[in-house]
Structure formats: structure tokens, C-alpha cells
């Protein structure tokens, strides 16, 4: 491996993209972040960072690199990004070649989010080299964001033992260089509806679990179409939403199905919780049950269970970090846009830990996980410039 030149974010992006860091939680047998983490750690050490590599989970390393002066009461700014990528099946170009053409760097993870990781590392190095840091910048390059966020969860746990918590954090997810201080959360639920198995000719005995589940789905459709749009929207994120993701049930064409399982995803906005959404789903099933009982139909037997959830994230648009990023963009001659992040990120975990965290980085989230993935070279450079100015202002 040829080490990238000092604080060169485009060369570092290419170096990282060439490392296959597919997440084994998504792709069985994939190598994970190990080689990529070791490569980044070596580059940052050569650039003058104090580097530590720790395991977030067995064989799943985080890279923690510090630069600047760790002084009492001095500001501590964190840049965070993930090293894992998703699978490469169906991609229309070589996934790990890091080819540059027409001003774009192609490869799995180029947009999501090795271009952002490279930009934040170069920015911290540049700010320190300029002698502008009174405080310290911490680089946290984490594992497993694409699956269960084991990397940032381990980071948050470790931060409890630090002498001081970061005063702010930027996650360099692809935002097209917009400042994104909020994103939705999500929750996954399983709706299980029970019927009664019987021969297809015995309507007098059978209870169709699939049809009953359909009645509950119609009630959930009304919740999404009629109820949620009437609630006060978040200024950057709009409203919450839900959709049915997976359905299974039945054993044969001539048998009444005794069971139907529907998996539902609910996207939540700040102010909504997985528990409050669970109560809404259960209430929808209860309304269907009440209507069936009033009509003298067999009773609805249904359960709704919460399987997994991640919270939304929200930093006020007028918060110091958002303002400082806007100032850095203007100083770099770039337009300032403050938007909502459409996808979930580790920002929610850091905000919950008390660290104001926003997303800002090069690339388009619409290209994440896509058959063609690329990041504009100019955006990687511009992101590094803006983040350098932020680090100088925040820690200067």
C-alpha cells in the first residue's frame, strides 16, 4: 500500500475504498473492518495522531485517534464515521478499485462513508499543522454502523471514562455538504394474527388469519394516511410514517391459514418513541377486534411485539455547532443549507449520551448501498476545507 500524502483526503478516500470492509452481519463470511482499520490507524500515526485501536466486538475494531492539546477545560471536538460497508452484489463497477473518472471516485463505501472519513481525518491534521488548535480533535472511525452500531455503542461506553466529554461531534455521513442536525428513528414490530385451520370447504369452522391480518393492515393504512399527516411535523423531517415490510402465512391452497405474521417498520420523528408507536399499533388491532365482535364474527387474536428500535436525533437549528458549521461553510465560499437527514445514523446514540451531534459530509445518501456508488472528488476536498475551518474555530 502506498501511503497517501499528508492530509490528502482524496488519496485517503481511495486508500480506504480499496480495503474490503463489508460488514459480516450483513454479508456472511465478509472480512469486516479489520484491514481497513489497521490501514487507517497506520496513516493517522504517520500524520502525527496519537492512535489507539480497540475492539468494539470480537474482530471488529474501532480506531480512535487524537491530535492537538488535551488540556483541562479546553474544547474537545469529535469527528465520527464508520468503516464498514454493505454488500457488493449487483454493482455495475469494480467495488474496491477506487477508480477516479469525470471528477468522481467510484467504489463501495466511497459515499457511505469513506469519503467523509477521509475528509474528517485530513481536516484534523490540517488544523493541527496550522498551529490553530488550543484544544483537541478526536477521530472516531467505528465498526458496524450498518448493522447494530456496535462501534459507536462501544465508543459511548468508553467515553464515560474519559477526563472530559466532547463538546460537539460531526458525523461525516453523506449529506451533499448540507448541515443535517436531525434524523428520523425507526422501530421494527411483529404483528402475529391467529386463525383456525380447517379444510377450505369448511367456512363454518375455519378462521382466516390472513384476512384478519388484512383488516389490521387496513387500519394501519388509515393510521399512516389519515392520522400521522395531521400531527405537527418536525420542521426538518416532516411526519412519521409506517409500512408493512414482510408478510408470511398459510400452508396450502385448500386450507384456512391458522397464522399470519406481518413485520412492520415505523419511522419516528423527535417526540415519538418506539413504545408510543407500539401502543398505536396495538390500539389499531383493538379497534379491528371491537368491530369484529360487534358484527358477531369470531374474535381477533393478535399480538404486536417490538423487535428492535433506534431513536431519532435532533439538535436545534440554532445550536452552536450548527451555527459554527454554517460559518465555516461561508468562510469556505460554500452555500449553507440546513436539512433533515433521511436515514438513521449513529448521531442518535451520541446525542443520547449528551454530545451534540450533527451530520455533514461529502456525497449523496441516495448512492449509498446502490449498484453504482461514487463520491465527487471536489466535495471530498470541500468537506475537508470546511471541517478544517470548523476545528480551528471550535478548538482555536
Amino acid at each position: 500500500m502506498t501511503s497517501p500524502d499528508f492530509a490528502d483526503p482524496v488519496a485517503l478516500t481511495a486508500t480506504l475504498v480499496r480495503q474490503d470492509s463489508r460488514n459480516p452481519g450483513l454479508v456472511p463470511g465478509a472480512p469486516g473492518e479489520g484491514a481497513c482499520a489497521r490501514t487507517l490507524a497506520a496513516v493517522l500515526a504517520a500524520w502525527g495522531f496519537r492512535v489507539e485501536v480497540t475492539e468494539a466486538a470480537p474482530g471488529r475494531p474501532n480506531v480512535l485517534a487524537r491530535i492537538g492539546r488535551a488540556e483541562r477545560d479546553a474544547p474537545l471536538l469529535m469527528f465520527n464515521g464508520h468503516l464498514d460497508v454493505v454488500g457488493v452484489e449487483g454493482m455495475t463497477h469494480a467495488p474496491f478499485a477506487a477508480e477516479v473518472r469525470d471528477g468522481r471516485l467510484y467504489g463501495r463505501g466511497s459515499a457511505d462513508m469513506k469519503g467523509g472519513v477521509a475528509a474528517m481525518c485530513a481536516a484534523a491534521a490540517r488544523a493541527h499543522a496550522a498551529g490553530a488548535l488550543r484544544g483537541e480533535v478526536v477521530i472516531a472511525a467505528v465498526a458496524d454502523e450498518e448493522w447494530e452500531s456496535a462501534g459507536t455503542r462501544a465508543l459511548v461506553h468508553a467515553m464515560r471514562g474519559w477526563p472530559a466529554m466532547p463538546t460537539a461531534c460531526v458525523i461525516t455521513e453523506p449529506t451533499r455538504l448540507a448541515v443535517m442536525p436531525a434524523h428520523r428513528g425507526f422501530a421494527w414490530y411483529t404483528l402475529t394474527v391467529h386463525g383456525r385451520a380447517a379444510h377450505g370447504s369448511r367456512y363454518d369452522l375455519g378462521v382466516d388469519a390472513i384476512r384478519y391480518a388484512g383488516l389490521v393492515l387496513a387500519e394501519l393504512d388509515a393510521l399512516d394516511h389519515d392520522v400521522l399527516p395531521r400531527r405537527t411535523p418536525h420542521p426538518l423531517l416532516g411526519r412519521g410514517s409506517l409500512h408493512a415490510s414482510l408478510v408470511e402465512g398459510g400452508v396450502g391452497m385448500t386450507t384456512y391459514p391458522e397464522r399470519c405474521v406481518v413485520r412492520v417498520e415505523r419511522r419516528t420523528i423527535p417526540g415519538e418513541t418506539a413504545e408510543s408507536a407500539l401502543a398505536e399499533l396495538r390500539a389499531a388491532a383493538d379497534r379491528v377486534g371491537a368491530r369484529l365482535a360487534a358484527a358477531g364474527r369470531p374474535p381477533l387474536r393478535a399480538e404486536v411485539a417490538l423487535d428492535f428500535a433506534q431513536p431519532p436525533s435532533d439538535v436545534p437549528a440554532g445550536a452552536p455547532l450548527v451555527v459554527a458549521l454554517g460559518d465555516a461553510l461561508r468562510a469556505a465560499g460554500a452555500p449553507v443549507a440546513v436539512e433533515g437527514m433521511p436515514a438513521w445514523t449513529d448521531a442518535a446514540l451520541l446525542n443520547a449520551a449528551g454530545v451534540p451531534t450533527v451530520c455533514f459530509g461529502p456525497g449523496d445518501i441516495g448512492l449509498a448501498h446502490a449498484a453504482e456508488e461514487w463520491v465527487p472528488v471536489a466535495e471530498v476536498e470541500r468537506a475537508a476545507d470546511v471541517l478544517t475551518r470548523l476545528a480551528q474555530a471550535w478548538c482555536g
Side-chain angles (χ1 to χ4, degrees):
M1 180 197 76
T2 301
S3 182
D5 291 340
F6 177 77
D8 182 340
V10 177
L12 180 55
T13 301
T15 296
L16 297 178
V17 168
R18 292 187 187 107
Q19 303 294 320
D20 178 359
S21 57
R22 287 173 296 157
N23 190 316
L26 299 170
V27 183
E33 306 84 356
C36 190
R38 290 188 294 271
T39 296
L40 180 61
V43 170
L44 294 181
W47 287 3
F49 287 77
R50 304 179 297 278
V51 181
E52 180 183 5
V53 178
T54 61
E55 285 198 337
R60 311 294 299 281
N62 284 349
V63 177
L64 194 69
R66 299 174 179 268
I67 202 163
R69 292 179 289 181
E71 298 179 355
R72 184 176 179 84
D73 299 327
L76 176 61
L77 176 65
M78 177 182 286
F79 292 150
N80 174 289
H82 64 86
L83 297 177
D84 60 317
V85 300
V86 299
V88 299
E89 185 177 358
M91 293 194 74
T92 59
H93 54 80
F96 306 118
E99 179 185 1
V100 177
R101 64 178 188 272
D102 301 324
R104 301 171 174 178
L105 193 155
Y106 286 81
R108 176 59 84 223
S110 55
D112 185 23
M113 55 173 287
K114 291 176 178 179
V117 169
M120 74 191 195
C121 293
R126 291 176 182 180
H128 176 67
L133 297 183
R134 181 177 65 85
E136 188 177 40
V137 179
V138 178
I139 296 293
V142 300
D144 195 50
E145 189 272 352
E146 297 287 4
W147 182 237
E148 291 185 334
S149 293
T152 292
R153 292 184 189 279
L155 172 67
V156 168
H157 179 76
M159 283 163 49
R160 297 172 188 155
W162 291 6
M165 292 283 278
T167 52
C169 177
V170 177
I171 295 183
T172 54
E173 289 275 8
T175 69
R176 310 178 320 279
L177 302 186
V179 182
M180 295 189 174
H183 65 67
R184 293 181 182 88
F186 67 88
W188 295 340
Y189 304 93
T190 297
L191 164 68
T192 304
V193 178
H194 304 278
R196 184 187 303 125
H199 190 277
S201 65
R202 295 304 304 269
Y203 65 87
D204 54 323
L205 298 178
V207 176
D208 188 337
I210 294 176
R211 279 169 46 197
Y212 269 25
L215 297 176
V216 179
L217 282 173
E219 193 70 17
L220 296 184
D221 178 73
L223 173 63
D224 184 68
H225 187 266
D226 301 326
V227 177
L228 296 182
R230 293 200 300 268
R231 295 180 181 169
T232 302
H234 185 277
L236 296 178
L237 301 174
R239 69 174 181 92
S241 63
L242 67 85
H243 65 274
S245 303
L246 298 165
V247 180
E248 60 177 287
V251 296
M253 289 297 295
T254 61
T255 302
Y256 274 79
E258 67 175 353
R259 186 169 174 267
C260 182
V261 177
V262 182
R263 290 180 171 84
V264 175
E265 180 179 74
R266 174 74 153 82
R267 292 284 168 158
T268 55
I269 61 173
E272 297 178 327
T273 67
E275 290 72 23
S276 66
L278 175 62
E280 290 176 341
L281 300 186
R282 287 174 172 168
D286 289 344
R287 289 193 294 273
V288 172
R291 289 198 293 270
L292 289 170
R297 303 275 298 277
L300 172 70
R301 295 186 296 122
E303 303 99 31
V304 185
L306 171 63
D307 300 323
F308 182 71
Q310 297 280 33
S313 184
D314 197 17
V315 172
L321 178 58
V322 179
V323 172
L325 262 173
D327 291 343
L329 278 160
R330 280 184 284 271
V336 179
V338 179
E339 303 173 4
M341 182 76 177
W344 190 88
T345 79
D346 281 350
L349 302 179
L350 290 161
N351 269 312
V355 180
T357 303
V358 306
C359 293
F360 169 84
D364 188 340
I365 193 68
L367 296 174
H369 308 187
E372 181 182 67
E373 183 177 355
W374 49 269
V375 64
V377 169
E379 279 191 17
V380 175
E381 277 285 9
R382 178 60 62 88
D385 183 14
V386 171
L387 292 172
T388 300
R389 295 171 187 271
L390 174 69
Q392 291 171 333
W394 197 268
C395 298

